[in-house]
């Protein structure tokens, strides 16, 4: 893959642009009007002459939030309590594909430490971060773009990407040595988040009517799953209405556990035709189902488009932990979930093959999983 050897243009750190005090957004970050945060879909109504009637606001809706679910009782001895939690997760998966979990077993102290450590990392001088500058071959390290298309419009964010699982890909030498707590925090955080993800995979399996280990096995089993961390840094932006911190996409892997910034909102989830701004609750993880779960479940569960908006007042840090299938295992709709009236909707593919798309094209809504639809469904 020649095009993945190097970036097509010199890399500019968004943080350094932000800190330079520019008042105008450089053109590379200006999104076309239809992708901007406040774009409103215009519905053409032929009968009405009133301008106002033509404006249907499909912009952001500030009154609703994604479901919040306590996991306290998910493995309770008490059947009724257990089933109520399972049912809440089931409907969140079907109706939203996005929910927050609390009482999830990851220590709040560790969550706090993880945020603080990574804030400190991004707060360091440019030279210190530059030691970890990444390339599109593996994306590991300090990066500022997703995709290698020359001339693409860029997102207003920097990130650090690393592999946690499988053990063969885990290389702490590629993790920041400073702040000195960083490598330890990654190890501990990874352990607890993998464990929480494993519990959620069991819940999803049972809710789909499968054996509780089915999804984990489909991902290659606990020693083979992939797990990566992307820490996103969204600097203050001089003209936040013209750009996005992260363009609309669905996550390519299995499931994502996002630790959002505790003080600054930014994540938006697409619900029908509106963008819902997620309001994080204290000590919660935001869980979202990703493309491989959509394929395995034959679209009983769908990955959901999301994006990140930025602002001019405060920077924002988020930790996205991606729980993925083993990279060379074939992912296809699970046989037990197929019926005569609902045959396989997607063609089989390894996650490695699948992931190339976003690594080349960058975030493009749900275009990839849609393109996997087999000829059966036109
Ligand atoms: C991601 C992502 C959301 C956020 O990293 O894939 O969607 O709030 N992040 O940073
Ligand atoms: Ni995402």
């Amino acid at each position: 893959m020649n095009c993945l050897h190097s970036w097509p243009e010199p890399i500019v750190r968004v943080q350094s642009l932000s800190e330079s005090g520019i008042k105008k957004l450089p053109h590379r970050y200006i999104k076309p009007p239809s992708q901007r945060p406040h774009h409103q879909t215009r519905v053409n109504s032929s009968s009405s002459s009133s301008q106002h009637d033509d404006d249907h606001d499909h912009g952001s809706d500030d009154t609703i939030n994604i479901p919040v679910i306590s996991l306290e009782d998910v493995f309770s001895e008490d059947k009724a309590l257990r089933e109520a939690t399972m049912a809440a997760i089931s409907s969140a998966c079907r109706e939203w594909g996005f929910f927050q979990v609390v009482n999830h077993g990851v220590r709040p102290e560790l969550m706090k430490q993880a945020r603080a450590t990574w804030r400190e990392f991004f707060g360091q001088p440019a030279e210190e971060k530059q030691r970890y500058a990444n390339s599109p071959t593996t994306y590991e390290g300090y990066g500022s773009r997703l995709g290698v298309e020359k001339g693409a419009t860029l997102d207003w964010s920097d990130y650090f990407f690393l592999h946690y699982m499988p053990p063969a890909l885990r290389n702490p030498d590629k993790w920041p040595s400073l702040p000195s707590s960083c490598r330890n925090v990654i190890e501990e955080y990874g352990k607890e988040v993998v464990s929480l993800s494993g519990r959620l995979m069991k819940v999803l399996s049972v809710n789909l009517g499968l054996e509780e280990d089915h999804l984990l096995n489909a991902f290659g089993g606990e020693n083979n799953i992939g797990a990566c961390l992307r820490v996103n840094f969204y600097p203050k932006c001089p003209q936040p209405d013209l750009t996005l911190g992260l363009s609309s996409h669905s996550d390519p892997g299995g499931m994502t556990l996002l630790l959002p910034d505790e003080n600054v909102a930014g994540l938006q989830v697409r619900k029908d035709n509106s963008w819902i701004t997620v309001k994080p609750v204290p000590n919660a993880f935001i869980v979202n189902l990703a493309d491989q779960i959509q394929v395995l479940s034959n679209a009983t569960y769908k990955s959901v488009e999301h994006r990140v908006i930025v602002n001019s007042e405060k920077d924002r840090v988020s930790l996205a932990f991606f729980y993925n299938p083993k990279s060379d295992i074939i992912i296809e709709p699970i046989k037990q979930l197929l019926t005569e009236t609902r045959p396989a909707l997607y063609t089989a593919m390894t996650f490695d093959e699948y992931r190339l798309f976003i690594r080349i094209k960058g975030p493009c809504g749900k275009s990839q999983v849609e393109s996997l639809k087999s000829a059966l469904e036109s």
Side-chain angles (χ1 to χ4, degrees):
M1 265 291 150
N2 258 338
C3 59
L4 284 174
H5 281 319
S6 57
W7 301 113
E9 290 132 2
I11 291 294
V12 178
R13 302 304 173 185
V14 176
Q15 188 176 4
S16 66
L17 273 178
S18 172
E19 287 170 359
S20 74
I22 49 166
K23 295 281 179 290
K24 283 189 80 171
L25 196 66
H27 75 276
R28 293 298 309 277
Y29 300 90
I30 300 182
K31 302 288 176 190
S34 66
Q35 293 174 22
R36 292 180 195 166
H38 301 294
H39 176 75
Q40 292 173 5
T41 310
R42 271 180 174 268
V43 177
N44 273 334
S45 99
S46 48
S47 56
S48 166
S49 57
S50 155
Q51 281 293 312
H52 293 289
D53 286 354
D54 284 351
D55 282 336
H56 287 252
D57 187 354
H58 291 282
S60 53
D61 186 325
D62 289 332
T63 56
I64 41 182
N65 200 6
I66 59 173
V68 179
I69 300 170
S70 169
L71 296 185
E72 200 178 345
D73 297 320
V74 80
F75 296 120
S76 163
E77 298 289 300
D78 183 325
K79 190 159 177 270
L81 287 177
R82 196 172 64 234
E83 286 179 349
T85 310
M86 299 285 289
I89 297 173
S90 174
S91 57
C93 287
R94 284 165 190 271
E95 286 159 33
W96 286 85
F98 248 98
F99 51 99
Q100 304 192 56
V101 291
V102 293
N103 301 316
H104 42 59
V106 179
R107 284 174 293 133
E109 197 48 45
L110 183 57
M111 298 166 75
K112 221 171 146 171
Q113 222 179 353
R115 283 192 185 102
T117 299
W118 282 104
R119 264 204 175 275
E120 210 178 321
F121 171 79
F122 284 102
Q124 296 177 116
E127 311 81 72
E128 183 55 37
K129 292 174 287 200
Q130 209 52 37
R131 292 171 51 199
Y132 302 94
N134 74 349
S135 86
T137 322
T138 65
Y139 275 87
E140 285 173 288
Y142 180 45
S144 296
R145 68 182 285 166
L146 192 52
V148 292
E149 306 229 300
K150 207 173 162 121
T153 307
L154 301 177
D155 289 340
W156 190 260
S157 55
D158 301 321
Y159 62 85
F160 197 102
F161 180 73
L162 61 91
H163 285 287
Y164 183 78
M165 284 288 282
L169 287 184
R170 184 189 305 177
N171 183 357
D173 290 342
K174 296 185 178 175
W175 305 352
S177 63
L178 291 176
S180 57
S181 56
C182 197
R183 290 178 181 170
N184 255 331
V185 169
I186 295 167
E187 285 282 0
E188 279 191 48
Y189 184 81
K191 194 169 10 166
E192 294 201 15
V193 178
V194 164
S195 153
L196 168 58
S197 305
R199 276 177 276 143
L200 287 168
M201 294 289 278
K202 286 189 182 183
V203 172
L204 264 54
S205 298
V206 172
N207 276 343
L208 285 167
L210 304 163
E211 293 292 318
E212 67 171 19
D213 288 333
H214 199 116
L215 285 175
L216 180 62
N217 291 336
F219 274 37
E222 63 179 337
N223 298 318
N224 296 312
I225 54 132
C228 330
L229 176 67
R230 186 168 72 219
V231 184
N232 300 297
F233 185 79
Y234 303 97
K236 289 181 215 173
C237 180
Q239 292 182 296
D241 295 345
L242 300 181
T243 194
L244 291 169
L246 188 52
S247 292
S248 170
H249 66 284
S250 58
D251 294 345
M255 184 175 68
T256 305
L257 270 74
L258 183 88
L259 181 63
D261 197 291
E262 51 200 332
N263 302 314
V264 191
L267 174 65
Q268 294 190 321
V269 174
R270 189 181 188 132
K271 177 78 169 152
D272 307 319
N273 255 332
S274 339
W275 288 101
I276 309 291
T277 303
V278 175
K279 289 175 269 302
V281 302
N283 300 323
F285 279 100
I286 298 168
V287 179
N288 70 284
L289 306 182
D291 296 347
Q292 305 307 306
I293 294 277
Q294 174 166 338
V295 172
L296 284 163
S297 74
N298 205 31
T300 297
Y301 294 159
K302 294 198 178 65
S303 63
V304 173
E305 261 181 89
H306 53 286
R307 68 180 189 183
V308 175
I309 55 170
V310 289
N311 71 85
S312 57
E313 304 290 311
K314 287 180 174 153
D315 54 33
R316 176 173 180 270
V317 175
S318 70
L319 278 67
F321 195 91
F322 303 114
Y323 188 88
N324 297 333
K326 183 173 189 286
S327 65
D328 59 359
I329 210 166
I330 300 274
I331 299 293
E332 60 190 335
I334 292 170
K335 298 276 182 304
Q336 288 92 314
L337 302 179
L338 307 180
T339 63
E340 224 161 272
T341 52
R342 198 172 169 77
L345 294 175
Y346 306 100
T347 50
M349 196 183 270
T350 67
F351 181 50
D352 252 350
E353 291 168 319
Y354 191 91
R355 180 154 62 179
L356 268 180
F357 180 99
I358 193 168
R359 290 192 163 184
I360 294 170
K361 294 241 184 225
C364 303
K366 288 203 63 172
S367 60
Q368 186 181 14
V369 73
E370 299 297 338
S371 76
L372 257 193
K373 282 214 164 136
S374 50
L376 283 167
E377 276 280 296
S378 51

